[in-house]
Amino acid sequence: MRQHTSTCPSDPAMAGKAATPRPRRKRARHPRLAVGDRVRFAEGTLAGTGVVDAVTSDYSIIWVWTDEGQGRRMFVQGYGSIVSALQEEAAEQEDPVAAC
């Protein structure tokens, strides 16, 4: 017995339409900080330095033990808070010619 193969799409609503790729969601790239990194943070009127205590797998949420005795704080990257590594900033300030 011979099987019948159809060239018709399985969904009648898609008949005559070419398959268009769905737009991809833009993903934010957060700084890849590791536990124990020295960081500088700013959120609203709060600013200071500290040590990274924990990060999520996508680096979007960072917990920092602050140096000023403000305790452990959580920062959500991209929603009004900025957390950056101190080593990167110190290297840029020490060698301004390398950046040119």
Side-chain angles (χ1 to χ4, degrees):
M1 184 185 260
R2 195 168 133 186
Q3 288 196 358
H4 177 70
T5 57
S6 174
T7 58
C8 295
S10 60
D11 183 10
M14 293 299 292
K17 295 182 182 178
T20 58
R22 293 175 35 187
R24 292 187 176 184
R25 189 178 115 208
K26 292 183 180 180
R27 293 189 176 182
R29 298 222 177 231
H30 303 295
R32 298 191 181 256
L33 300 169
V35 173
D37 284 355
R38 301 267 316 139
V39 293
R40 170 171 280 126
F41 59 86
E43 181 177 48
T45 59
L46 175 69
T49 58
V51 177
V52 174
D53 183 44
V55 293
T56 57
S57 61
D58 65 351
Y59 303 96
S60 63
I61 301 174
I62 300 170
W63 287 268
V64 176
W65 278 108
T66 63
D67 291 338
E68 294 81 28
Q70 299 170 353
R72 185 176 187 244
R73 301 194 64 89
M74 182 182 79
F75 298 97
V76 180
Q77 292 279 48
Y79 290 94
S81 63
I82 301 169
V83 180
S84 59
L86 283 177
Q87 290 85 3
E88 293 174 4
E89 293 176 4
E92 290 174 4
Q93 291 175 356
E94 289 176 6
D95 196 7
V97 177
C100 295

